Amino acid sequence: MACLTLLPCLLLLSLVMLLAVAASGDNSTLSGQIRINCGSSVSATDSDGRTWDGDAASRFAPSVAGVASGASYVDPSLPSTVPYMTARVFASSYTYSFPVSPGRVFLRLFFYPSAYGDRGAAAALFGVTAGGVTLLDDFNASQTALALNYAYLVREFSLNVSSGGNLDVTFTPSGQSASGSRHYAFVNGIEIVAMPDMFTKAVPTFANGGRPDPMPIRADTAFQTMYRLNVGGRAVSPGDDSDLLYRTWDNDVPYIFGAAFGVSYGKDSNVSIQYGPAVPPYVAPESVYASARSMGPNAQINLNYNLTWALPVDAGFYYIVRLHFCEIQYPITKLNQRAFYIYINNQTALADMDVIGRSGGVGRPVYTDYLVVTVPGSSQTDLWVELHPDVNTRPEYYDAILNGLEVFKLQRYDSDSLAGPNPPILQQVQINAVEGSGAGTKKKSGAFAAAWAAAAGGLVAVLVGCICAWAICRRKRKAASAVVHVPQAVRETPAYVILGQTKIPAFSYPAR
């Protein structure tokens, strides 16, 4: 009876506590999420309806240092003025301290390179550490944005918060520049979102076919999201992501290598996406699985090229490559109707990939993880993902399909670091040249790009010409080996299987 008497009191006390928290202005923490609009003294709402609290009077920065400053220019490509138009600028090291429940979180840092007061964008050079891991080192947001042709940058990390319950994020300006002026650090926004553990289970296999044995990933490993692509579909904004994780899924067109884009299409109207225990909704939103890119309906053409994505990454790190699959059009409903190879960095990650066989049916998602080791170095290298029909099982259609593609960098255990170099500007010219319309949301406006072009002067035109010539030569060199990129075992397939009569798919792919 005493317990029954206390129950209403406890419920009332819980309700009072919830109301008090909501009234405190930290309503973003009720769902385990924190958003800080750095350099602002008031709360504001972004275009997705998320509330961002200013850091000037935040309990996460009780004695906030640095200078609050506003950006000097509003680029039209910004998805929202919040949190990009205000920044916290630091001339010395400063730490935000966030109370976070133990477990994995997404930590997102938002940067909008601009002049802040009398500080030029190019003078911002700094490092960021969090949870004992170096996330960025000598990071130049201005150079990075110019190299990628983006107006703003979002750097996303996945960190495992220990039982201590606090996540400290420290910004530290780099040393004095050659000209004698001091560098500075800045940040426009900080977002923390609790997330399930999507990386350490199940254990990924190596991209060379699993040799050596699968390598378990330490539970405390930190990751950086390098790419998250909605293959064959439009970009997915944070507000349209699943399970309130607020991830961005970019269009894959800028990363397709060569002129063979395949065909993109959406699901049939009578197909529904059916999540299950192996692939819960938080893995990827329905819009990712509801669109796809395939090689096309012509079997003979498909046998003579690889559907290929080239993804620049930092050398010297391990990467998890996650491929999302879902058959979404009839008549692909049975085993061995479509089977294909998955190549990663010119190695056979998997032969006889049958999406129906692995998922269990049409409209059922499945994903596979592969561990990739890149060559040692301090620069960038290309990570290649390629698909090619597997003719060995004599499938009904000689084709391949992909719905989504993610690449995650693993921290280096020897240095507890995820930091890579600032991307070289000129190596991005080829990628920027093939970007299609609507490929993403971060691209600079014409005015912003023109300002950079004016600063670069006539030198840019000369260098672009050189790079174009280099790109053409590079593509020619790749043609003989990269267009097919089939390992020796596939080349030895009997000729009658490859060149004999094949079925042309009865279903049609809507042309983009």
Side-chain angles (χ1 to χ4, degrees):
M1 292 297 294
C3 294
L4 293 175
T5 305
L6 287 173
L7 184 59
C9 297
L10 292 173
L11 291 174
L12 180 60
L13 178 60
S14 299
L15 178 61
V16 170
M17 292 176 65
L18 286 173
L19 292 174
V21 172
S24 69
D26 284 327
N27 54 1
S28 61
T29 65
L30 288 177
S31 59
Q33 302 187 0
I34 298 171
R35 295 181 188 89
I36 300 298
N37 188 15
C38 300
S40 176
S41 58
V42 297
S43 296
T45 303
D46 67 11
S47 57
D48 285 320
R50 296 175 293 175
T51 299
W52 296 72
D53 299 319
D55 67 347
S58 171
R59 63 189 179 97
F60 307 123
S63 54
V64 64
V67 176
S69 184
S72 58
Y73 168 73
V74 183
D75 192 287
S77 68
L78 289 176
S80 172
T81 57
V82 178
Y84 295 102
M85 290 308 295
T86 60
R88 180 67 58 178
V89 178
F90 305 104
S92 59
S93 182
Y94 180 76
T95 299
Y96 291 90
S97 186
F98 301 99
V100 179
S101 300
R104 282 213 166 264
V105 298
F106 279 129
L107 170 65
R108 299 188 182 107
L109 306 176
F110 297 76
F111 303 103
Y112 177 41
S114 175
Y116 292 101
D118 59 352
R119 300 171 182 85
L125 191 70
F126 56 94
V128 181
T129 61
V133 178
T134 300
L135 307 181
L136 301 170
D137 186 32
D138 282 341
F139 175 62
N140 189 318
S142 176
Q143 175 182 330
T144 303
L146 180 59
L148 301 177
N149 196 28
Y150 286 169
Y152 65 97
L153 303 170
V154 181
R155 288 292 177 264
E156 180 185 273
F157 306 91
S158 175
L159 305 174
N160 189 43
V161 180
S162 64
S163 58
N166 258 22
L167 179 61
D168 293 338
V169 183
T170 302
F171 297 83
T172 304
S174 298
Q176 199 166 20
S177 67
S179 63
S181 61
R182 298 289 298 183
H183 295 300
Y184 68 92
F186 80 99
V187 61
N188 298 87
I190 302 174
E191 181 180 31
I192 298 175
V193 177
M195 60 170 290
D197 186 354
M198 297 189 291
F199 301 110
T200 63
K201 305 293 181 185
V203 178
T205 59
F206 281 93
N208 62 354
R211 299 178 299 274
D213 295 333
M215 184 185 80
I217 297 175
R218 282 173 22 185
D220 62 345
T221 301
F223 302 84
Q224 179 181 353
T225 303
M226 304 299 290
Y227 297 95
R228 182 179 285 123
L229 306 179
N230 183 19
V231 176
R234 295 182 176 273
V236 180
S237 68
D240 293 326
D241 191 28
S242 55
D243 276 27
L244 299 179
L245 293 177
Y246 295 103
R247 296 164 295 188
T248 297
W249 298 76
D250 294 320
N251 178 268
D252 69 313
V253 169
Y255 306 99
I256 297 177
F257 179 79
F261 278 41
V263 292
S264 58
Y265 56 89
K267 70 179 184 66
D268 284 346
S269 58
N270 56 348
V271 172
S272 60
I273 305 302
Q274 306 169 52
Y275 292 100
V279 185
Y282 65 73
V283 171
E286 183 175 321
S287 53
V288 170
Y289 293 116
S291 61
R293 187 178 302 280
S294 78
M295 300 185 73
N298 191 305
Q300 296 296 335
I301 293 177
N302 295 350
L303 288 170
N304 287 282
Y305 87 96
N306 284 3
L307 187 56
T308 303
W309 293 263
L311 308 165
V313 295
D314 299 326
F317 287 88
Y318 281 57
Y319 292 87
I320 289 180
V321 176
R322 175 167 295 173
L323 306 174
H324 298 266
F325 302 97
C326 188
E327 292 288 3
I328 54 176
Q329 281 195 346
Y330 292 99
I332 304 294
T333 61
K334 297 177 294 185
L335 291 172
N336 203 37
Q337 286 189 287
R338 173 157 49 195
F340 51 93
Y341 284 98
I342 300 173
Y343 304 126
I344 299 178
N345 280 356
N346 205 24
Q347 295 180 315
T348 303
L350 184 65
D352 188 23
M353 173 59 190
D354 189 321
V355 177
I356 292 293
R358 285 180 171 260
S359 67
V362 64
R364 297 181 181 178
V366 66
Y367 69 91
T368 59
D369 285 349
Y370 298 100
L371 195 63
V372 178
V373 184
T374 57
V375 296
S378 58
S379 59
Q380 288 198 316
T381 184
D382 285 337
L383 192 155
W384 298 84
V385 176
E386 302 171 85
L387 306 179
H388 186 80
D390 185 349
V391 301
N392 292 320
T393 62
R394 301 184 69 92
E396 187 173 356
Y397 305 111
Y398 289 173
D399 195 7
I401 182 179
L402 186 62
N403 303 74
L405 174 59
E406 296 179 276
V407 178
F408 306 101
K409 183 202 296 183
L410 281 67
Q411 77 174 77
R412 292 187 55 157
Y413 296 132
D414 57 347
S415 58
D416 289 331
S417 177
L418 278 164
N422 296 301
I425 295 173
L426 297 179
Q427 288 186 6
Q428 299 299 324
V429 172
Q430 184 180 8
I431 292 177
N432 297 336
V434 301
E435 289 197 46
S437 60
T441 57
K442 307 183 190 73
K443 292 186 68 179
K444 293 178 183 176
S445 70
F448 196 85
W452 279 107
L459 178 61
V460 171
V462 176
L463 292 176
V464 167
C466 295
I467 292 301
C468 288
W470 167 84
I472 293 172
C473 294
R474 179 177 182 235
R475 183 166 296 182
K476 288 181 178 178
R477 289 196 305 268
K478 292 285 185 180
S481 58
V483 171
V484 176
H485 266 328
V486 186
Q488 189 65 29
V490 176
R491 293 195 182 102
E492 293 176 351
T493 302
Y496 74 89
V497 177
I498 296 181
L499 302 177
Q501 184 177 4
T502 58
K503 293 187 178 182
I504 301 299
F507 54 99
S508 61
Y509 296 87
R512 179 165 255 192

